[in-house]
Amino acid sequence: MTANTVLTTDTPLVKTPRFWMPERVLFTPAALDEPWGQKILARVQSLNLPIEELSRNRLTGLRGESDRETYDISKRTLAVVTAPPSSFKLSPIPPSADWQFHIAEGCPAHCQYCYLAGSLSGPPVIRVFANLPQILENLANYERPGQATTFEVSCYTDPLGIEHLTGSLAECIRYFGTRSDGHLRWVSKFDAVDTLLDLPHNGHTRCRVSVNAAAIAGRFEGGTASVASRLAALRRLALPTNRGGGGYPVGLVIAPIMPIDDWQMQYSRLFDSISEALDFDCDLNFELISHRFTPGSKEVLQTWYPQSKLDMDETNRTIKRNKFGGTKYVYDKDTMKALRRFFESEITKRFPNAEILYWT
């Protein structure tokens, strides 16, 4: 056994989880005034990471001489700040959940199709919110008494990717474990789940991992845990507590689906791996998301990843417009039908008790 492997209950030998470690950690004065900000400070200090206490509640020094240099600086920086007042007015996010809320903005991964490109303003620094108790307290205002209300916490970040630095995801899970009607949803491309297994979640948190075919994940998902490690982590989360797991409801987000060469074979192999990881009865659902991009996201991604081989040729796509006049490029109707038919057939055949939440 090598030094970078560990044995976990009821799972094969798996690698030590992948952790992102920032090269600098910035704290605003307002963040240090928050008790949760002090807890994050203690975590960061215990990891011996370089800390800078800012004199103002404004982030500076993140821009380089080029967009790419700004990206590099930002992606190596964790900034502990407070969520602005506007973040307490939640937005609906169908079909993923009823509402979205944010414990952080920005992601430590380097996915070349990044959904956040063009969605967040300014340099892509990873911002963590120190006023977490107030954020959680506000959620009760959006619950529907007597009805299950779902809250997505991973729209603007990968919460597991920064959990070792913040502890915020675990605190969210504890909070929702006390709610009668509120349910938490989060998704990740990381695998450090051991600290979540014993939490009192009361079945009110659904843990999901985002996965893709090997040819896509290996090429376009830099800085993340391997798909095999993500599936091993999902297994540990889904296993019953009497088998050493977390006993959570779980899910798989297959995204972004692409009709690459031999895509049926590539995705069949992915389903083989999922079947091996989840070879027991569990509360499971699927979300299926085809690749799409906007003119704005394409422009940003090409500055972040100028050498990327990601296909964003508009001539191979169909234009789709939303109700606000926005434009995105999606696959043509026949391609979408073929992809959807394949995925729904595979899931129905392999996981007859699992629900497909949506295809988009």
Side-chain angles (χ1 to χ4, degrees):
M1 187 185 306
T2 60
N4 67 337
T5 56
V6 293
L7 282 172
T8 60
T9 303
D10 220 321
T11 63
L13 196 66
V14 295
K15 293 182 179 179
T16 300
R18 185 181 186 99
F19 293 105
W20 172 70
M21 292 296 178
E23 292 185 4
R24 59 198 293 236
V25 183
L26 312 178
F27 282 84
T28 64
L32 290 172
D33 284 341
E34 296 286 342
W36 194 258
Q38 287 294 320
K39 290 186 177 182
I40 295 174
L41 176 63
R43 279 177 172 265
V44 173
Q45 288 173 331
S46 72
L47 294 170
N48 295 317
L49 296 174
I51 296 169
E52 300 175 37
E53 296 185 10
L54 304 178
S55 59
R56 296 184 297 169
N57 292 318
R58 184 169 175 267
L59 302 181
T60 59
L62 296 173
R63 294 194 179 276
E65 296 182 0
S66 65
D67 289 339
R68 177 64 199 188
E69 187 176 353
T70 297
Y71 172 87
D72 289 339
I73 294 170
S74 299
K75 282 285 194 171
R76 297 195 299 266
T77 303
L78 178 74
V80 186
V81 301
T82 52
S86 60
S87 67
F88 289 82
K89 182 176 174 56
L90 304 192
S91 299
I93 185 172
S96 176
D98 294 313
W99 302 100
Q100 59 178 313
F101 75 101
H102 307 293
I103 58 174
E105 292 182 352
C107 177
H110 298 271
C111 298
Q112 294 175 30
Y113 52 77
C114 179
Y115 299 118
L116 298 182
S119 299
L120 298 175
S121 60
V125 62
I126 294 84
R127 294 175 173 86
V128 171
F129 297 145
N131 50 340
L132 180 63
Q134 297 94 308
I135 292 170
L136 294 177
E137 183 180 356
N138 180 58
L139 303 183
N141 298 320
Y142 291 84
E143 290 184 13
R144 299 169 298 191
Q147 300 182 56
T149 308
T150 54
F151 295 84
E152 176 70 57
V153 73
S154 38
C155 294
Y156 287 165
T157 190
D158 187 311
L160 186 60
I162 54 177
E163 175 65 5
H164 58 293
L165 302 168
T166 69
S168 296
L169 178 58
E171 190 69 4
C172 291
I173 293 171
R174 292 188 193 96
Y175 170 82
F176 278 92
T178 68
R179 307 303 297 172
S180 298
D181 303 312
H183 293 256
L184 177 68
R185 292 166 54 78
W186 61 269
V187 64
S188 179
K189 292 188 180 78
F190 288 83
D191 62 339
V193 299
D194 287 349
T195 59
L196 308 180
L197 298 181
D198 296 328
L199 296 178
H201 58 79
N202 196 30
H204 280 217
T205 291
R206 186 171 296 273
C207 312
R208 299 119 75 213
V209 296
S210 177
V211 294
N212 216 318
I216 297 172
R219 190 170 195 178
F220 298 122
E221 296 180 353
T224 64
S226 68
V227 171
S229 294
R230 296 176 217 171
L231 290 175
L234 193 69
R235 177 183 177 88
R236 298 200 294 280
L237 289 164
L239 276 169
T241 55
N242 61 9
R243 293 177 60 183
Y248 285 92
V250 295
L252 285 148
V253 180
I254 305 180
I257 295 168
M258 302 180 190
I260 57 175
D261 292 341
D262 298 321
W263 63 266
Q264 293 98 329
M265 180 190 69
Q266 293 275 355
Y267 282 110
S268 290
R269 289 176 177 171
L270 173 63
F271 279 116
D272 289 342
S273 298
I274 296 170
S275 297
E276 291 173 8
L278 300 178
D279 60 348
F280 55 95
D281 290 335
C282 60
D283 184 343
L284 172 67
N285 60 36
F286 286 84
E287 296 158 80
L288 307 173
I289 305 172
S290 61
H291 181 244
R292 67 276 317 283
F293 61 90
T294 67
S297 67
K298 177 180 178 178
E299 181 180 2
V300 173
L301 289 170
Q302 288 181 331
T303 63
W304 288 356
Y305 308 107
Q307 306 303 318
S308 176
K309 301 301 182 184
L310 181 66
D311 179 14
M312 290 191 289
D313 184 351
E314 291 92 342
T315 62
N316 296 330
R317 304 292 182 116
T318 295
I319 294 177
K320 184 176 181 179
R321 290 186 170 86
N322 63 27
K323 61 182 179 181
F324 305 107
T327 297
K328 66 178 65 174
Y329 292 93
V330 302
Y331 296 119
D332 65 80
K333 184 182 296 185
D334 289 342
T335 299
M336 292 286 268
K337 283 184 176 179
L339 290 169
R340 182 172 187 174
R341 189 182 307 117
F342 170 83
F343 279 90
E344 291 183 347
S345 174
E346 286 292 307
I347 292 169
T348 301
K349 176 178 64 178
R350 294 171 183 259
F351 307 97
N353 296 322
E355 180 184 6
I356 300 174
L357 295 186
Y358 58 86
W359 160 274
T360 186

